[in-house]
Amino acid sequence: MKRRGLPKRQRLIGLWLLLSGVSLFGGAIFAAWLDTHLNPDGWQRIVLWLGSFSGGGTIFLVGLLLERMLFTPLRHLQVQLARLVSNPDARDEHPPEGWLKGLGPDLRRVHESWRDDRARLATAHAEGARSAARIRQELETLLQVLETPLLLCDHHRRVMLFNQAAEDFFSGHDGLGLGKRLETLLPSPSLQHALSQLPHDGTPRELLAPCDERWLKVILRRVPGSDGEALLTFTDATASWSSEMGVRAELAAMLTPLRQHTASLTSAADALIQLRQRDDATDSLRERLERVIEEEGATLGDSVARIGTLLDDMQHQGERLTPMWSNDFWQALDERLDPEHRLITPIGMPAWFKGDAPALIALLASLVQHLNAYLPDNGFEGEVCLGNKRVYLDFIWRGQPLPERELAQWQQKTLESLPLSPTVADVLRQHASDIWSLADETSGYARIRLPLPATERVGAPRETTPPRPEFHDFGIADLPPPDDALANRSLRSLEVVAFDTETTGLELRRGDTVISLGACRVVNARLLASEVFDQKVDPKRPIPPASTAIHGLTDADVEGAPPLDIVLTRFRQYVSDAVLLAHNASFDMLAISHHGVDFDIPVLDTLLISRALDEAIDGHDLDSLAKRYDLAFPPGTRHTALGDARVTAELWLALLPRLEARGIDTLEKLLALQNNAFDKEDASA
C-alpha cells in the first residue's frame, strides 16, 4: 500500500513556484494583450498590470504563509516525533512553532513521560526482582509465624504451600511435602469428596478426618478466582472429643450412683426416724443423727442437682456446637446420603440452630441406614420448627411413625466414623437432645423429630460479596498533611468528589428539583470504584414525562426516598474535606444550594477547564469530551447521576496531565484558569 503523508519539501516548493510562475506569466501575457487592445494610460495602465499579476502574487504569498506557519512546523514536528520514537532522550531541537505553537506544552509532556517511561523500563527488571524478593520474604515470614496449620493445594490436590505450623502439626509424617498428593497425607474419602464439592465463591466447609491416631477438624474453602485451588486449615479435635466422651461422659455416668446414694441416705434417715418409737434409743442421739442425716442428705441432693445442671450446660454450650443455617445443613446431609440424587427437600422457613455439624450429619446418616426397612427410599422432606427455647429438626415422609423399640435400639449403635466411636446416645447427650417419631394428624405423614439448641441469630446468611476493587494504596502515605493550605495543594494530591444530579427539569429557579444524586471519590489521582454515593430523592412533586425520557426515572422510582435536605446532609458528610467536581458545575451547584446545607468549598468544573485548555476547539459537552478522550459510558449509565459522575471523574484524570504540562499544578492556579474561561453565557445560565 502506498504511503500517504506530507509531500516532500522540494516537490511542494516546486509545485508552488510552478503555479506562481504560470500565474505570473499568464498574467503578463494577458496584461500585454489588454494593453495592446485598450491602450490605457496613466493610472489605468498601472491598475491593469497589477490586476493581471494579482493571481500569481496571491498564490505566491499564500504559499509562503503556509510554508512558514504550517508546513515547516509540521515537518519539524514530524522530525521531532521520529527522534523521540527512536530515542526518548533526544534533545528538543524543534519546538512547535507557527500555528502549532499551542502544542508545545503537550509535546513537552509527552517527551517527559516518554523519557520517564524509558528510565523506568531500564530499571524495571532490577526493581521487579528486588520487589519480588521482598514480597516473597515478607509472605514467607508471615506464613511461618502463623500458628494455624494450613495447606494450599492445586486442582490436582498437590501441595503447593504449607507453613511451619503445618510442618509441626504433621511432624513425623512422610506425606507432607511440596508436590505431594494430599491423599498421601490424609487418605480420607470424605475429604476427597468434600474437595470436589467445594463452592467456587469461597464458602467454607468443615469435616472430621482421621490422621494416624488423631481426629482432625478440617476447614476447606475454594480460593475464589483461582484454577480450582483449595486452602485447608487444621485443628486437632481429639482433645475436645476426649473431653467430651471421656471426662464429661464419666461425670454423666456418676450421676446415677450419686442419685442412688442420695436415695439410700434419705432412706436411712427415714429408718432412723422410726427409732423414735423404740424405748432403748437415746433421744438426744437420735435427734442429733436425724438432724445430721437430714442436712447431709439435703446437701448431697443439692450437689447432685448442681452437677447435673453443670453437665447439661457443658453439653449444651460445648465448644463444638456452632450456629448453622438449616438449608446449609440439609444440603450437606444430602451430599452425605447420596451425592448423585437429591433425597431431602427443605420445606417451610429456614432457621438457625446450634450443633456439631459433622456429628449430626453422621448421626442422621446412621439413622437412615439403620432404619432403612421403615423409611422410604424415594426421599424425605426436611423442616425446621421453632419452639420456645429449642429448634426442632424434622424428617417427614408419607407413611407410619417408627417403632420406639427401633429408635431405642439405634441409640445404642456406635458411630464408627466419628472420633472415639461414640454412641448415638452420646451425640444426643452432647446436644442435650432426644429423638422420637410421631404421626401428623389426618395427613398420612410421619416424622422423626430432633430438638436442638436454638441460637439468637436471625435472617439468612449474608451473601458472599466480591472483594473490593481497591483495598490498598501505599501512595497515600506520601500525600501532604491534611492541614496544609488547600490553595497550594498539588492537583494530584487533592481529594476530589465528582458528583452529578438528575432533576425534574432544567428550571431550577421555577420549582424543578433534584431526584437523584450520585458521586464518586478520587484519592491520590486514583478513582475509587467502591467509594460511591448514590441516592434517589423524593422531589415532592410529579416528574414530567419529558424529563423521564432523558434520565428514565419515574415517580415510582423515587417513591419512599428521603427528601432533599436529608440527602444533602448525608452527601455533605460524604464530601467531608474534599474538593467538589462537576461538569457544568453551575447547574449542579444551583441544584444543591439553598436547602439548608452549606457547600462552602472549592468547586471545579470540567467544562470550564476543557474550554480553557482548547479554546479554539468546539464541543465541550460531556459526550463530546468523553469521545475526545476515549472515555466510555457503561450501558445504561448515561444520564444517571452516578454514571455521569464516574465519567466526569475519569475526564478529570484525563485533563490532569495536560494541566500539569502547562504548569497548572496547584488548586489556586487551576481556579484562576477556570475563572478566565467563565463567560457571560455561563453567568446568565
Side-chain angles (χ1 to χ4, degrees), residues 15-289:
L15 180 62
W16 164 54
L17 293 177
L18 177 63
L19 290 176
S20 300
V22 169
S23 297
L24 290 173
F25 182 75
I29 295 176
F30 184 67
W33 182 79
L34 289 177
D35 188 52
T36 302
H37 288 77
L38 298 179
N39 295 318
D41 56 1
W43 62 269
Q44 293 179 345
R45 189 172 188 178
I46 295 174
V47 170
L48 185 149
W49 281 91
L50 289 177
S52 299
F53 285 109
S54 63
T58 300
I59 293 176
F60 180 83
L61 293 176
V62 170
L64 183 63
L65 178 66
L66 290 176
E67 173 64 16
R68 291 180 57 86
M69 302 300 293
L70 179 62
F71 294 122
T72 298
L74 280 175
R75 289 190 183 89
H76 290 168
L77 178 62
Q78 184 178 15
V79 171
Q80 185 63 25
L81 288 177
R83 289 167 62 89
L84 291 178
V85 170
S86 60
N87 182 14
D89 298 326
R91 291 178 299 173
D92 188 4
E93 297 180 350
H94 299 287
E97 54 191 4
W99 292 337
L100 304 183
K101 192 172 183 178
L103 297 177
D106 292 326
L107 186 60
R108 284 195 298 271
R109 179 68 178 183
V110 171
H111 187 187
E112 293 170 359
S113 300
W114 223 331
R115 187 169 50 199
D116 292 341
D117 291 342
R118 173 75 173 266
R120 283 193 292 267
L121 285 174
T123 58
H125 291 293
E127 292 179 353
R130 288 194 297 268
S131 177
R134 178 180 58 84
I135 294 174
R136 183 175 66 251
Q137 183 178 4
E138 292 176 352
L139 179 59
E140 290 174 353
T141 302
L142 176 63
L143 290 175
Q144 296 310 317
V145 300
L146 191 65
E147 297 181 354
T148 301
L150 61 87
L151 300 178
L152 182 65
C153 302
D154 66 0
H155 65 285
H156 294 298
R157 299 171 189 164
R158 294 174 299 206
V159 177
M160 299 172 57
L161 177 149
F162 62 92
N163 61 350
Q164 183 64 44
E167 187 172 5
D168 296 338
F169 190 78
F170 294 104
S171 177
H173 201 298
D174 297 331
L176 181 62
L178 293 179
K180 292 186 177 181
R181 296 292 297 271
L182 187 62
E183 290 85 343
T184 61
L185 182 65
L186 295 171
S188 173
S190 59
L191 177 62
Q192 317 310 322
H193 174 71
L195 283 171
S196 64
Q197 299 293 326
L198 284 178
H200 291 279
D201 59 357
T203 303
R205 291 287 187 264
E206 64 179 67
L207 55 84
L208 289 168
C211 179
D212 297 332
E213 298 180 358
R214 296 183 298 174
W215 282 88
L216 309 182
K217 180 179 180 180
V218 188
I219 298 179
L220 315 92
R221 67 179 72 226
R222 184 87 63 196
V223 179
S226 68
D227 187 18
E229 296 166 5
L231 181 68
L232 294 79
T233 58
F234 304 91
T235 305
D236 191 350
T238 308
S240 60
W241 272 94
S242 298
S243 175
E244 190 77 41
M245 300 305 169
V247 177
R248 298 186 183 187
E250 291 181 8
L251 286 174
M254 288 174 58
L255 277 177
T256 300
L258 281 176
R259 291 192 178 101
Q260 292 175 353
H261 290 312
T262 302
S264 299
L265 186 57
T266 304
S267 300
D270 292 338
L272 186 58
I273 293 174
Q274 300 299 323
L275 294 177
R276 294 181 179 179
Q277 300 177 0
R278 298 180 55 182
D279 297 336
D280 57 347
T282 305
D283 293 338
S284 60
L285 178 60
R286 185 168 51 243
E287 291 176 359
R288 195 160 51 248
L289 289 174

Side-chain angles (χ1 to χ4, degrees), residues 461-480:
R462 296 179 59 183
E463 294 184 2
T464 303
T465 57
R468 292 166 62 92
E470 303 91 10
F471 59 93
H472 70 82
D473 186 352
F474 299 115
I476 292 178
D478 300 326
L479 294 178

Side-chain angles (χ1 to χ4, degrees), residues 506-512 586 590 594 683-685:
L506 301 179
E507 301 291 337
L508 296 178
R509 291 189 175 91
R510 299 182 181 178
D512 283 324
S586 58
L590 180 60
H594 312 297
S684 63

Side-chain angles (χ1 to χ4, degrees), residues 321-330 350-357 360 364 384 386 390-393 431 450-457:
L321 300 187
T322 58
M324 288 186 291
W325 183 242
S326 59
N327 282 352
D328 293 341
F329 176 77
W330 295 129
W352 290 94
F353 63 90
K354 291 183 67 176
D356 182 355
L360 287 178
L364 294 177
V384 178
L386 300 180
R390 310 285 280 177
V391 173
Y392 298 98
L393 253 65
H431 293 80
L450 175 64
L452 293 170
T455 180
E456 296 179 356
R457 295 181 64 174

Side-chain angles (χ1 to χ4, degrees), residues 73 78 110 160 197 232 262 281 283 293 305 336 343 355 378 412 459 500 554 582 609 663 668 678 680:
Q78 184 178 15
V110 171
M160 299 172 57
Q197 299 293 326
L232 294 79
T262 302
D283 293 338
I293 293 175
R336 174 68 177 270
L343 294 180
N378 58 350
Q412 304 306 314
D500 185 70
T554 64
I609 296 172
E668 184 177 23
F678 194 81
K680 295 181 179 180

Side-chain angles (χ1 to χ4, degrees), residues 410-463:
W410 167 70
Q411 292 188 30
Q412 304 306 314
K413 184 178 179 180
T414 300
L415 300 176
E416 300 291 346
S417 62
L418 294 180
L420 303 181
S421 301
T423 64
V424 171
D426 292 333
V427 176
L428 291 175
R429 186 172 61 251
Q430 173 197 355
H431 293 80
S433 182
D434 197 358
I435 194 167
W436 62 88
S437 181
L438 66 159
D440 288 351
E441 297 180 359
T442 67
S443 66
Y445 285 87
R447 66 180 64 204
I448 295 175
R449 170 158 292 181
L450 175 64
L452 293 170
T455 180
E456 296 179 356
R457 295 181 64 174
V458 296
R462 296 179 59 183
E463 294 184 2

